[in-house]
Amino acid sequence: MRSLANIWFLGMKELRGLLRDPVMLVLIVYSFSFSVYTAATAMPETLNKAPIAIIDEDRSPLSFRIIDAFYPPFFLEPSLIDHAEMDARMDAGLDTFALNIPAEFQRDMLAGRNPAVQLNVDATRMSQAFTGTGYVSSIVSAEVQEFAQGYRAVPELPVTLVERARFNPELNPAWFGGIVQVINNVTMLSIILTGAALIREREHGTIEHLLVMPVTPFEIMTSKVLSMGLVVLVAASFSLAVVVQGLMEVPIEGSIALFLAGTALHLFATTALGIFLATLARSMPQFGMLLILVLLPLQMLSGGSTPRESMPEIVQFIMLGAPTTHFVMLAQAILFRGAGFALVWPQFLALILIGGLLFAYTLSHFRKTIGSLA
């Protein structure tokens, strides 16, 4: 009972310290509100308002028809330029696509000579370049075929393909982006808050005060893990309810309570990781550098941004030791596909094991760090 009381009072001290830190409070609010919304809506995966320029050397009804086929929202209104302007505009980043329709294009097409149309692409804009090339090719081919036929018609295929998009029937990238951003921010904030809490103790000299009090390293560490984990858990719940479901109107298929239970286990591991990084760093700038080295691989290779199946097998195997991999798997299964505990229990078990190992190892290292200060 005395140990629980010590953890309670130390945890309340951590929460009061967080309330007196306006920078951390702003970071928490931003990460689970504006950050979630902007990440989901500011970077669409589909082609949107791509700038295109067209060099029309033919000036025929067919070339005018092709020019008129490019319009918002996929493309901006085409800019009609000449050869001399094309390279300069692409070098300046004004155009992602430059379509060159050669002279006598319509005559050669009607004569069956298979004329070539050149498409120049600014491949530094990787997302638009990859998707937009297919759009441009389809648009030009469709306009040429309809012009040659003399009428607009949809060709009948021998097989009818019926699409049924499950879990995201609108194919809306914001549904995916908003939830993934919440998942990523849970990991980021849990590591930052616990690590910053320990470094703040060291910089303010209050860690020495704790050493002369009748508290153990286990109680000190547990209080930081529980208090900071609770803050992140409440913030994530607010973000899912208000920002994701309320503002963005993203449907949640599964149980929020089950997801929060998995989040709590994930926080048990990542908060311990944050304390471990703080024991290695001697100042907040050092902690920030360590955070970059650890956080980026955890988020990029856990399967949240890209499927794990597309990664090298050695990377997939190594990342099984990271709590973020199992957290992303259970979060996507619950929130996207409505999975129950019967399907995600292996991820729950993995988080318990990884969290226990991280906590035990960090506690051992934390004891040594406090012993050196004493």
Side-chain angles (χ1 to χ4, degrees):
M1 292 300 296
R2 180 178 178 180
S3 180
L4 292 177
N6 288 341
I7 293 173
W8 167 263
F9 287 116
L10 289 172
M12 294 302 295
K13 177 187 73 69
E14 295 296 336
L15 294 177
R16 287 193 295 269
L18 180 62
L19 290 175
R20 291 192 295 267
D21 192 337
V23 175
M24 286 297 177
L25 291 177
V26 171
L27 178 62
I28 295 171
V29 173
Y30 171 79
S31 298
F32 287 102
S33 57
F34 298 103
S35 175
V36 173
Y37 183 81
T38 55
T41 58
M43 294 188 298
E45 296 181 359
T46 56
L47 192 67
N48 185 53
K49 295 182 178 180
I52 183 171
I54 297 179
I55 305 169
D56 185 8
E57 297 179 318
D58 190 31
R59 298 196 175 275
S60 64
L62 177 56
S63 66
F64 293 152
R65 182 183 182 126
I66 293 174
I67 293 172
D68 292 339
F70 295 95
Y71 48 81
F74 296 124
F75 298 91
L76 294 175
E77 184 177 348
S79 301
L80 298 180
I81 63 174
D82 55 31
H83 266 295
E85 297 176 273
M86 183 183 68
D87 288 340
R89 288 177 63 89
M90 295 202 78
D91 290 343
L94 299 179
D95 300 318
T96 302
F97 305 98
L99 185 67
N100 184 8
I101 303 176
E104 301 181 351
F105 172 69
Q106 177 178 312
R107 189 190 68 178
D108 292 343
M109 187 276 298
L110 294 176
R113 298 192 181 98
N114 295 323
V117 178
Q118 185 184 67
L119 176 63
N120 300 277
V121 183
D122 181 359
T124 60
R125 301 178 178 181
M126 190 61 197
S127 178
Q128 283 192 340
F130 180 77
T131 307
T133 300
Y135 276 71
V136 174
S137 177
S138 298
I139 290 172
V140 173
S141 298
E143 294 300 326
V144 170
Q145 183 177 6
E146 290 173 3
F147 183 83
Q149 292 175 344
Y151 61 92
R152 187 183 299 271
V154 178
E156 290 190 10
L157 300 177
V159 176
T160 301
L161 179 65
V162 179
E163 289 188 8
R164 294 180 179 176
R166 299 188 62 187
F167 315 123
N168 188 354
E170 295 183 6
L171 299 179
N172 189 344
W175 290 16
F176 174 79
I179 292 178
V180 168
Q181 188 67 13
V182 172
I183 294 172
N184 288 337
N185 287 346
V186 166
T187 301
M188 178 185 71
L189 263 296
S190 59
I191 297 176
I192 290 177
L193 291 181
T194 49
L198 180 57
I199 292 179
R200 186 168 52 237
E201 298 263 23
R202 183 181 298 157
E203 291 180 343
H204 294 173
T206 53
I207 190 71
E208 285 80 4
H209 297 169
L210 293 176
L211 294 178
V212 298
M213 296 176 64
V215 293
T216 64
F218 172 79
E219 294 167 353
I220 297 173
M221 180 175 167
T222 303
S223 66
K224 296 183 185 298
V225 167
L226 293 179
S227 58
M228 296 300 104
L230 178 62
V231 170
V232 176
L233 191 64
V234 171
S237 304
F238 170 84
S239 184
L240 277 178
V242 177
V243 180
V244 176
Q245 288 184 295
L247 182 61
M248 299 171 56
E249 298 181 348
V250 178
I252 301 297
E253 297 293 334
S255 169
I256 297 293
L258 183 62
F259 167 73
L260 293 179
T263 304
L265 292 177
H266 176 63
L267 290 171
F268 176 56
T270 52
T271 50
L273 179 60
I275 291 179
F276 175 72
L277 295 179
T279 59
L280 299 178
R282 298 301 176 185
S283 63
M284 195 65 77
Q286 289 185 7
F287 176 71
M289 296 300 293
L290 286 175
L291 184 65
I292 294 175
L293 295 175
V294 173
L295 189 60
L296 287 180
L298 287 180
Q299 292 187 342
M300 296 300 296
L301 303 178
S302 60
S305 302
T306 56
R308 294 185 66 248
E309 293 77 13
S310 63
M311 303 177 189
E313 292 186 2
I314 183 64
V315 175
Q316 296 183 41
F317 178 76
I318 293 174
M319 289 305 295
L320 287 176
T324 49
T325 299
H326 305 281
F327 179 55
V328 168
M329 292 170 65
L330 74 86
Q332 291 183 346
I334 295 171
L335 300 179
F336 290 147
R337 299 186 289 273
F341 183 75
L343 292 177
V344 297
W345 70 264
Q347 285 74 48
F348 274 73
L349 180 60
L351 286 175
I352 292 173
L353 296 175
I354 294 173
L357 291 174
L358 277 174
F359 187 89
Y361 182 77
T362 301
L363 179 60
S364 174
H365 197 271
F366 184 56
R367 283 197 178 102
K368 296 177 182 178
T369 303
I370 287 185
S372 64
L373 293 175

